[in-house]
Every structure is written in C-alpha cells, then in structure tokens.
Amino acid sequence: MISVLRLGHRIPRDRRITTHVALVARAFGADCVLVSTKDSVLERSVRNVVEKFGGDFHISTGVSWRKTLKEWQGTVVHLTMYGERLKDALPKIGKKNLMIVIGGEKVPPEVYDIADVNVSVGNQPHSEVAALAVFLDRLLEGNPLEREFGGRMSIVPSKKGKNVIERAAELPSRRDCLEALREAGCDSAVVEHCKRVSRLAKKIASLCGADESLCELGGLLHDIGRGRTHDIDHGHAGGQILQEKGFPAVLAGIVEKHVGAGIPKNEAKKIGLPAKSYVPKTLEEKVVAHADNLAEEGKIDLLIDRMEERGLPAAAKRIRRLHDELSEKCGMDLDDL
Ligand code: SAM
C-alpha cells in the first residue's frame, strides 16, 4: 500500500495542483491520496478520472494529517528540498506500507520529525507534483507506467494522433429508451417511426457486422430530439437530451449524427449548430443514419430526388455515398431490404 498525504491544500487556489498530485499518484503507482483539507469538488474530479480510466485508486479529503501520520503502520517519507539526497535515501525505503508526505507553501516543522526519512529530489525548490513523480518513478523503477488500468477508456499508444478505445458502457433497455422518448415529449407518430428505424437498423447491422444492440437502441432513440424541435437541429438536440439523461455517450453520438448522411462542420456552423462535424463515423452511426434515410421514402432514389429538389445536392450526394458504402458492406442493395 502506497499512500500520498497532501498537506496545505487551499481552496480554490490549489485545486488544480492537488488534482495533478492525485493523478500523478495514481498514474505512477500509489494506491490512494489523502488531503488534509475537505474538498468535495476535488474528490469528485479525481473519482471521475478513476471511473473513466480504471484502477482502484482512492481519494479522501479532510483527513487529520497528525492523526494519520501517528497511526501509520509503516514508513513515512517526507519529500522536501531540505531532505537527504534521493539516491542515498532510496535503499532505506521499502515499497510496502509507505506514506509519502508532500507539502504546500509551508510544512509544519513537526512533519520533519515524524517522518522516518526526509528526502529531496534535488536540493532546489520546484514542485510537489514533480517531486512525487520522480520519487515514485525511481522507487518503483518505472513499472506502473506499463500498467493496464482496465478502465472504460483506454489509450492505444500511437506515433501520431489520438487513439482511444471506449468500452461499451452498460446499455439501457428498450423499455428505458421508450420511456425516454415519452419523457422527452415525442408524439406517437415519432415513436412509431423510431420503432421502424430501430427494426431496420438492427437488420442492416446483422448484414454488415455492426453492433446490433447499439443499432437497435440508437434507431429507437434517433429522433428523441423531436420532443424539442422538428428542425434540422433535432439530431443535436437529441444528443443533448441523452447526455442530460446520463445515457451512454455512444448512443448520444449515434443520435446527434443521424440527420441525412450527416452534417459537416461548415454546414453545421451555417445553421447555427455548435461548430463540429455531425457526420457519422462509426459503423453503427452510419447504419442508424441510413436506416432513417431508408425509412423516409422507401427507396433511396426517391429521397435523393427530393433532396435535390429542395436545393440540397451536397446532402443528396452524401446519402448516395452512404447508401453505396453500406450496400457493399451488406452484400446487397439496401433498397431491396
Ligand atoms: N519550502 C518547501 C519545502 O519544504 O520543500 C517548498 C514548498 S513547495 C512549493 C511544495 C512542496 O513541493 C514541498 O512541500 C515538497 O513536498 C515539494 N518539493 C518542492 N521541491 C522539492 C524538492 N527539491 N525535493 C522534494 N520535494 C520538493
């Protein structure tokens, strides 16, 4: 058990640095951080990271530092620029039941006495975050940096760009989705249309190897935004409703990108949506968007003609491309479904 005791946390001034202390403690191999000042905002933000990225790191705030140190059954190491050199101290420090104390502006003199070892990471003033990172890294020989935390989100090391895997969060039931449509104010015509798109999306998913449950539920929820608006921004509104309701982000993503074959960032900006791309990227996003297109007119050519008549040739082209892409993946013309 490696604990970090953070002294002298001032609200709100030190929130950011103490958050960094906690995140460094977690990433570099400690099991918990104890903070001498009560701060529930800090607790929540650290727990959010743990909930997302995994591991069983623990945070407690408002702990009595004196009592904690006196009762600690193990070694107490105090990191301070005045301490003995890290390389001289390390051989004396075991990895079991270790309490690492770091300070803020001023550390009470008593801490120097209670500590079994006062250790400096270079005898220059710098930062508790740096001191903690270097100390843990030397003590544990870098091993925690290779650790798998097993969280909902995990990062695939990449030479360029960001590659993040988000494991499927627990999905709601069909009943939860229908209830959500009702609560959002969708009328029965919208609900019936959602059920139809859900059936179609599930069928397409089974043909092209997309996640059937995601497509079924995404289809069921795709028009939830129509409880607020029937305008082109109903996809965006739907994503917001799902976020507010705490539905998995993966479903909110499907819903906000379902309009036509998506809305690119420049067009989104023009129609007053927050400037980002609403073009479906994942296979499930594409399947639900296109199930909605197919449900609209029955045949894709009819929908495309209608889009062109309405002066939306670019959107019509995107729908054609999506139709061809998914038809190829499904091994059949989706018009014949
Ligand atoms: N005068 C303080 C001291 O005792 O090191 C410096 C305060 S510094 C802003 C806050 C904390 O960073 C310190 O309490 C200590 O835990 C850590 N720290 C800063 N420089 C350090 C160093 N060279 N070696 C070890 N810890 C250091």
Side-chain angles (χ1 to χ4, degrees):
M1 169 72 151
I2 300 182
S3 293
V4 174
L5 175 61
R6 200 282 191 262
L7 306 177
H9 169 72
R10 294 157 298 179
I11 301 172
R13 202 181 140 154
D14 291 331
R15 233 177 224 147
R16 188 170 148 80
I17 194 154
T18 306
T19 304
H20 287 192
V21 162
L23 299 185
V24 160
R26 172 181 171 273
F28 285 72
D31 302 287
C32 82
V33 69
L34 309 171
V35 182
S36 54
T37 316
K38 180 76 193 159
D39 187 345
S40 43
V41 174
L42 170 72
E43 286 188 4
R44 208 173 316 124
S45 67
V46 172
R47 283 182 190 137
N48 279 344
V49 173
V50 176
E51 191 270 318
K52 239 181 177 172
F53 288 93
D56 46 12
F57 187 78
H58 173 77
I59 177 166
S60 278
T61 68
V63 303
S64 154
W65 64 265
R66 205 174 267 114
K67 189 164 176 273
T68 303
L69 288 181
K70 290 215 163 125
E71 290 175 359
W72 183 250
Q73 311 255 326
T75 312
V76 174
V77 170
H78 170 216
L79 298 183
T80 163
M81 66 177 182
Y82 304 107
E84 59 182 301
R85 288 201 172 95
L86 180 57
K87 74 173 170 46
D88 299 330
L90 266 182
K92 298 185 243 171
I93 302 171
K95 295 177 183 109
K96 274 193 190 144
N97 290 344
L98 188 61
M99 176 71 72
I100 304 166
V101 186
I102 51 170
E105 213 168 34
K106 261 199 195 117
V107 175
E110 207 181 330
V111 172
Y112 292 78
D113 291 331
I114 298 176
D116 297 297
V117 205
N118 291 288
V119 182
S120 67
V121 178
N123 294 98
Q124 298 298 317
H126 47 81
S127 138
E128 51 269 49
V129 177
L132 181 62
V134 171
F135 176 76
L136 282 172
D137 191 56
R138 297 271 171 98
L139 180 78
L140 304 174
E141 292 155 6
N143 293 325
L145 299 185
E146 317 295 331
R147 180 184 158 196
E148 276 297 329
F149 282 79
R152 189 156 57 74
M153 310 268 284
S154 65
I155 293 167
V156 182
S158 307
K159 284 192 177 159
K160 284 193 179 182
K162 302 175 187 173
N163 189 356
V164 179
I165 295 175
E166 186 174 357
R167 287 174 190 84
E170 204 167 303
L171 293 176
S173 64
R174 277 184 66 86
R175 187 197 256 197
D176 293 335
C177 296
L178 290 168
E179 178 70 9
L181 289 174
R182 199 187 52 75
E183 277 175 11
C186 295
D187 62 27
S188 58
V190 168
V191 174
E192 285 315 306
H193 166 74
C194 285
K195 286 181 181 169
R196 178 163 151 64
V197 170
S198 169
R199 281 194 298 273
L200 260 176
K202 191 175 180 201
K203 202 162 180 188
I204 299 171
S206 72
L207 292 170
C208 68
D211 185 312
E212 289 185 38
S213 306
L214 271 183
C215 291
E216 180 186 7
L217 299 175
L220 201 52
L221 290 165
H222 80 284
D223 263 351
I224 191 166
R226 289 191 182 271
R228 278 192 194 162
T229 171
H230 286 288
D231 283 343
I232 191 162
D233 60 352
H234 70 272
H236 169 69
Q240 299 261 291
I241 294 172
L242 292 187
Q243 260 182 29
E244 287 158 19
K245 285 184 174 295
F247 275 54
V250 69
L251 285 173
I254 290 176
V255 168
E256 74 169 10
K257 299 190 193 99
H258 86 269
V259 178
I263 305 170
K265 187 174 170 181
N266 58 338
E267 288 182 27
K269 234 165 129 179
K270 275 188 214 151
I271 56 178
L273 286 175
K276 63 172 193 175
S277 166
Y278 296 84
V279 174
K281 283 270 180 299
T282 66
L283 189 53
E284 290 73 23
E285 288 168 357
K286 290 179 181 177
V287 167
V288 172
H290 203 50
D292 189 30
N293 293 332
L294 290 168
E296 195 109 326
E297 294 276 356
K299 294 281 175 210
I300 210 64
D301 283 344
L302 294 177
L303 176 64
I304 287 174
D305 288 348
R306 194 157 60 82
M307 304 286 288
E308 279 167 351
E309 278 162 21
R310 284 168 57 201
L312 299 165
K317 234 187 218 161
R318 286 198 295 272
I319 292 176
R320 162 66 63 204
R321 269 207 306 271
L322 185 58
H323 182 78
D324 292 346
E325 180 189 333
L326 288 178
S327 292
E328 198 188 318
K329 281 206 166 81
C330 292
M332 65 175 287
D333 186 338
L334 288 175
D335 256 348
D336 299 333
L337 208 59

